[in-house]
């Protein structure tokens, strides 16, 4: 059993104890039942008009659905890459795009607002992964069944531009897509184009947005800066099989000597298992 099986145990625990997530059942004695339905007193709502939730499916049904959910798989990546060493991140992620980051590689996930000094819990980008070192920065976008578009590339350009404003100009900027084998060609066809053309299209989309987002406004106010960032951003599209096989290769190259090495091997082996067992990655069981 890998460490990621413990993730599913936690999800199941929360399914049975929703109070821990701030979701509380109405006390049965407060509900008045009629022939046509149920009446719940207004005072039980902290905000008038707030939605009422109900369970749909059993705990087993819920876990089955999550095993094909993109967000759950991204949790596995975020956990593993937040723990893994900088050298491992360079080997597993940056190497696919021809980048060799120097020094410490930092994983920036939900703490992105704190990292950039934005308002707390600001979800401007809703990125999958963002990794930075002294001389490199890399965005990670993972896909199972959903498509992508230039707007998603624009959000990573926004992160990369903000990183260079926060620290300094990087030697390397990149964006790595991980998609199922059967969809890799479609992503390459839709997303890869000459850097100048991509910069021109993203800047044009921002300028002509009917309802400009913060990202659109930022691009329109800094056209030269974003043009430079987008043209320097290397984009690579790989399959889940390629990510899995590279992770497995790194795991097998680590000697099982000492507690630290054994822990790292367990971490990477568990990530491989999470990728293989998740529906939609198209990675075959070994």
């Amino acid at each position: 059993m890998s460490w990621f099986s413990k993730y599913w145990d936690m999800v199941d625990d929360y399914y049975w104890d929703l109070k821990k997530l701030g979701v509380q059942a109405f006390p049965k004695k407060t509900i008045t039942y009629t022939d046509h339905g149920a009446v719940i007193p207004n005072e039980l709502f902290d905000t008038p008009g707030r939605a009422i939730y109900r369970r749909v499916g059993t705990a087993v049904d819920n876990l089955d659905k999550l095993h094909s959910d993109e967000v759950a798989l991204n949790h596995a990546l975020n956990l593993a890459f937040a723990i893994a060493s900088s050298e491992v991140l360079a080997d597993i992620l940056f190497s696919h795009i021809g980048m060799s980051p120097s020094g410490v590689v930092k994983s920036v996930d939900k703490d992105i607002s704190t990292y950039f000094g934005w308002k707390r819990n600001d979800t401007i980008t809703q990125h999958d992964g963002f990794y930075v070192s002294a001389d490199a920065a890399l965005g990670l976008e993972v896909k199972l069944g959903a498509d992508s578009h230039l707007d998603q590339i624009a959000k990573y350009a926004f992160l990369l531009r903000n990183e260079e404003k926060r620290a300094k100009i990087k030697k390397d900027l990149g964006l790595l897509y991980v998609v199922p084998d059967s969809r890799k060609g479609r992503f390459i066809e839709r997303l890869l184009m000459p850097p100048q053309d991509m910069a021109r299209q993203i800047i044009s989309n921002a300028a002509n947005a009917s309802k400009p987002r913060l990202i659109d406004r930022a691009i329109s106010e800094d056209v030269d800066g974003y043009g430079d960032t987008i043209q320097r951003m290397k984009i690579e599209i790989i399959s889940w099989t390629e990510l899995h096989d590279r992770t497995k290769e790194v795991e097998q190259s680590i000697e099982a000597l000492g507690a630290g090495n054994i822990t790292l091997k367990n971490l990477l082996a568990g990530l491989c298992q999470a990728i293989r067992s998740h529906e939609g990655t198209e990675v075959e069981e070994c």
Side-chain angles (χ1 to χ4, degrees), residues 43-223:
E43 56 265 26
L44 292 181
F45 294 92
D46 56 352
T47 302
R50 176 162 290 187
I52 299 175
Y53 296 91
R54 67 185 179 93
R55 291 188 189 274
V56 178
T58 65
V60 173
D61 293 335
N62 185 52
L63 287 177
D64 285 344
K65 289 179 182 178
L66 287 175
H67 271 86
S68 62
D69 182 70
E70 196 174 278
V71 174
L73 182 55
N74 198 37
H75 288 166
L77 298 176
N78 287 338
L79 285 168
F81 293 152
I83 297 170
S85 65
S86 298
E87 293 79 9
V88 166
L89 291 177
D91 282 345
I92 292 178
L93 294 178
F94 287 79
S95 64
H96 287 288
I97 213 160
M99 296 165 62
S100 301
S102 61
V104 174
V105 176
K106 178 179 176 61
S107 171
V108 188
D109 300 310
K110 291 296 184 181
D111 55 343
I112 193 78
S113 55
T114 303
Y115 182 74
F116 282 128
W118 299 336
K119 289 186 297 184
R120 188 175 179 181
N121 296 326
D122 203 325
T123 55
I124 296 171
T125 58
Q126 296 180 333
H127 61 290
D128 289 336
F130 190 58
Y131 306 90
V132 297
S133 73
D135 62 353
L138 176 70
L140 176 67
E141 181 71 16
V142 302
K143 295 292 183 184
L144 290 177
D147 276 323
S148 189
H149 40 75
L150 287 182
D151 276 355
Q152 286 193 322
I153 295 178
K155 76 179 180 182
Y156 285 101
F158 178 77
L159 290 177
L160 294 170
R161 179 68 178 147
N162 274 272
E163 170 60 17
E164 292 196 315
K165 285 181 176 180
R166 185 198 67 82
K168 65 176 185 178
I169 299 299
K170 308 291 187 186
K171 180 182 71 174
D172 291 310
L173 302 176
L175 172 58
L176 180 66
Y177 273 87
V178 185
V179 305
D181 279 288
S182 64
R183 308 187 70 223
K184 182 177 174 180
R186 173 179 172 82
F187 273 80
I188 291 174
E189 182 181 345
R190 291 192 55 170
L191 297 179
L192 297 190
M193 62 182 72
Q196 298 90 337
D197 293 347
M198 179 173 289
R200 190 181 305 113
Q201 186 62 57
I202 289 175
I203 290 170
S204 175
N205 290 350
N208 295 303
S210 56
K211 294 182 179 179
R213 306 160 299 164
L214 185 149
I215 292 176
D216 296 322
R217 294 194 296 271
I219 293 173
S220 295
E221 292 168 4
D222 185 16
V223 170

